[in-house]
Amino acid sequence: MAQADIALIGLAVMGQNLVLNMNDHGFVVPLLEAGDIIIDGGNSEYRDTTRRCQDLKAKGILFVRSGVSGGEEGARYGPSLMPGGNKEAWPHIKTIFQSIAAKVGTGEPCCDWVGDEGAGHFVKMVHNGIEYGDMQLICEAYHLMKDVLGMEHDEMAKVFEEWNKTELDSFLIEITANILKFHDTDGQHLLPKIRDSAGQKGTGKWTAISALEYGVPVTLIGEAVFARCLSSLKDEGIQASKKLAGPPKTKFGGDKKSFLEDIQKALYASKIISYTQGFMLLRQAAKEFGWTLNYGGIALMWRGGCIIRSVFLGKIKDAFDWNPQLQNLLLDDFFKTAVQKCQDSWRQAISTGVQAGIPMPCFTTALSFYDGYRHEMLPANLIQAQRDYFGAHTYELLAKPGQFIHTNWTGHGGSVSSSSYNA
Ligand code: 6PG
């Protein structure tokens, strides 16, 4: 009987195309023998993965958890693969994985070993969170074009096509242009007929939960998840639209070309913030779990094949190649300058949108993060004072960091303070 190189369970949209792709590359799949390597290529929760890894290790089975991205087409012709888990398995599957993965540049595969235990699934989870952010940012740009500038669908499609020739060049911008110009069988545009209530399978939510758990301000992905939640309150929204007033509708009086440029730059700057936050989360998770993550390698894995693939990820790879210890993407010269160049337009797009009553949760949270991150002094001194006032939670003085003290603010409070710890 022929020996299998690999077996695959779960032959749905992506699974069956992955098998066909492996077959094209000469690898066979007749039977899965109990024993050596099991690969989980689903969007599994990384802690389940870690648990499974430990259980299987006890039985002598090598478990690999691989993030797989690229949808139906990617699975068939070249996905982005993010394997992690028991590294002893890697030499056995490396050729298969790297052969079938998408290639970028001079043929570099969008696949490399990510790290131990649930690292592969954690990286895929963050990829999906970033995907939620990118999609919401594009939606906010579309909303501004549609409701502030009053643009028609074909015209908006052309703008996205143009943007796809710039630093925004990416799969999601490309498909947005295609979606905008798509006509239904009755000759009308299909997009405005689609119910504006977004679904979600949970990976964006997991990213936001991890961000809260590890205390990393991944605000943009959080807002993108909540934007989907808000959109799911469709029936309530219809009621509210009849009762709650916004600003009066006015015709846009500014320069359309220049406002479109403002939106483009707001999108680019916000995207930089989103990826900055995503990589902050990866860095913190690596610290929590003792993973050694190669951030440039992760950017390369996402550069092609996956849903968030873009030219921009090449720049992120360059930044980490230049400085593998880079603490924060915003501190890289290229990204620092890029945000600086977008800043005026970013603020302009947001203030115009706010005046017109357009919800822009991701554009605005990105700018707030930027302003918060770059401030030498935040108003958190007042929070500390409030906590100490009502609950004797103590505070530190700027001049004496590390020493926690309590003040009797009212003159009639006690001198007992609560213990100091941070969740
Ligand atoms: C991919 C996608 C894929 C899937 C997500 C999105 O990388 O190929 O991210 O994993 O499309 O499940 O799901 P939701 O938008 O339904 O959460």
Side-chain angles (χ1 to χ4, degrees):
M1 190 195 290
Q3 270 232 285
D5 293 303
I6 192 164
L8 200 146
I9 301 168
L11 301 177
V13 181
M14 289 178 72
Q16 65 171 330
N17 274 349
L18 275 172
V19 172
L20 290 170
N21 186 349
M22 288 175 191
N23 212 31
D24 288 352
H25 285 78
F27 302 104
V28 293
V29 195
L31 288 173
L32 177 69
E33 258 191 6
D36 43 22
I37 300 172
I38 293 181
I39 302 170
D40 173 3
N43 278 327
S44 306
E45 210 268 350
Y46 68 96
R47 274 172 301 213
D48 288 341
T49 299
T50 299
R51 181 175 43 77
R52 286 174 192 139
C53 185
Q54 284 157 1
D55 290 352
L56 288 165
K57 200 172 183 179
K59 295 187 177 114
I61 294 171
L62 306 178
F63 190 43
V64 174
R65 299 61 81 173
S66 180
V68 180
S69 177
E72 212 171 337
E73 291 238 334
R76 181 68 180 92
Y77 302 108
S80 160
L81 297 170
M82 300 152 238
N86 195 325
K87 202 173 180 182
E88 285 168 53
W90 184 227
H92 300 283
I93 60 168
K94 184 175 175 184
T95 313
I96 303 178
F97 269 50
Q98 294 194 334
S99 305
I100 69 160
K103 310 287 182 303
V104 289
T106 50
E108 291 97 310
C110 294
C111 168
D112 204 352
W113 188 254
V114 176
D116 292 338
E117 301 190 322
H121 278 150
F122 195 91
V123 167
K124 175 62 187 355
M125 179 192 78
V126 174
H127 162 284
N128 279 26
I130 288 176
E131 174 185 307
Y132 275 52
D134 278 357
M135 291 165 79
Q136 176 63 27
L137 287 171
I138 292 173
C139 288
E140 291 174 22
Y142 156 65
H143 204 168
L144 288 168
M145 286 182 210
K146 184 166 72 69
D147 286 5
V148 174
L149 295 176
M151 291 169 67
E152 294 302 330
H153 282 71
D154 290 324
E155 195 187 3
M156 289 189 273
K158 284 204 179 77
V159 172
F160 279 101
E161 276 166 3
E162 283 310 309
W163 288 359
N164 208 34
K165 296 174 194 155
T166 69
E167 63 279 357
L168 288 173
D169 179 346
S170 62
F171 172 70
L172 285 169
I173 293 279
E174 179 192 329
I175 66 164
T176 300
N178 295 341
I179 290 167
L180 279 161
K181 63 186 179 199
F182 191 89
H183 289 85
D184 202 357
T185 40
D186 61 3
Q188 311 229 322
H189 285 104
L190 177 59
L191 184 60
K193 297 184 188 176
I194 295 179
R195 192 166 189 265
D196 53 323
S197 179
Q200 50 181 315
K201 298 202 180 75
T203 44
K205 181 178 79 180
W206 291 346
T207 315
I209 291 172
S210 299
L212 287 171
E213 193 167 350
Y214 306 124
V216 186
V218 187
T219 62
L220 195 143
I221 294 172
E223 287 292 352
V225 175
F226 288 131
R228 291 196 191 190
C229 299
L230 185 65
S231 79
S232 75
L233 305 176
K234 174 72 184 155
D235 296 336
E236 266 182 73
I238 292 172
Q239 301 290 323
S241 70
K242 299 192 176 98
K243 295 198 169 148
L244 306 178
K249 276 209 158 84
T250 50
K251 202 171 160 7
F252 179 72
D255 181 74
K256 182 172 165 183
K257 191 164 172 276
S258 119
F259 189 57
L260 277 172
E261 204 177 305
D262 291 341
I263 303 174
Q264 179 183 357
K265 289 185 173 161
L267 179 48
Y268 185 48
S270 304
K271 190 175 159 100
I272 293 174
I273 300 298
S274 181
Y275 284 67
T276 296
Q277 295 180 343
F279 276 88
M280 285 167 73
L281 180 58
L282 289 177
R283 185 174 285 281
Q284 188 57 31
K287 216 187 262 178
E288 299 277 341
F289 297 105
W291 297 331
T292 307
L293 297 182
N294 170 357
Y295 303 103
I298 292 168
L300 176 67
M301 275 178 250
W302 293 348
R303 168 72 189 82
C306 63
I307 305 298
I308 63 169
R309 64 184 178 262
S310 65
V311 164
F312 171 80
L313 276 155
K315 297 289 180 198
I316 298 182
K317 181 179 184 316
D318 293 347
F320 284 111
D321 282 352
W322 179 253
N323 177 9
Q325 305 312 323
L326 184 66
Q327 199 194 341
N328 187 297
L329 262 189
L330 285 176
L331 302 178
D332 170 76
D333 279 348
F334 175 84
F335 289 107
K336 185 185 78 178
T337 311
V339 171
Q340 189 58 40
K341 282 190 189 152
C342 291
Q343 193 174 163
D344 291 348
S345 282
W346 193 11
R347 294 182 193 280
Q348 189 56 47
I350 287 176
S351 55
T352 306
V354 167
Q355 292 298 330
I358 305 295
M360 299 163 293
C362 286
F363 277 1
T364 52
T365 198
L367 185 56
S368 292
F369 175 88
Y370 178 71
D371 284 335
Y373 187 68
R374 69 179 183 79
H375 255 72
E376 192 183 340
M377 182 91 186
L378 288 168
N381 50 339
L382 180 55
I383 292 178
Q384 288 298 77
Q386 289 165 335
R387 291 174 72 235
D388 192 54
Y389 188 108
F390 64 67
H393 292 289
T394 74
Y395 59 88
E396 296 162 281
L397 288 172
L398 283 168
K400 293 183 184 163
Q403 284 182 34
F404 288 84
I405 52 173
H406 167 57
T407 291
N408 182 348
W409 297 87
T410 57
H412 48 77
S415 56
V416 179
S417 59
S418 74
S419 56
S420 79
Y421 63 89
N422 281 311

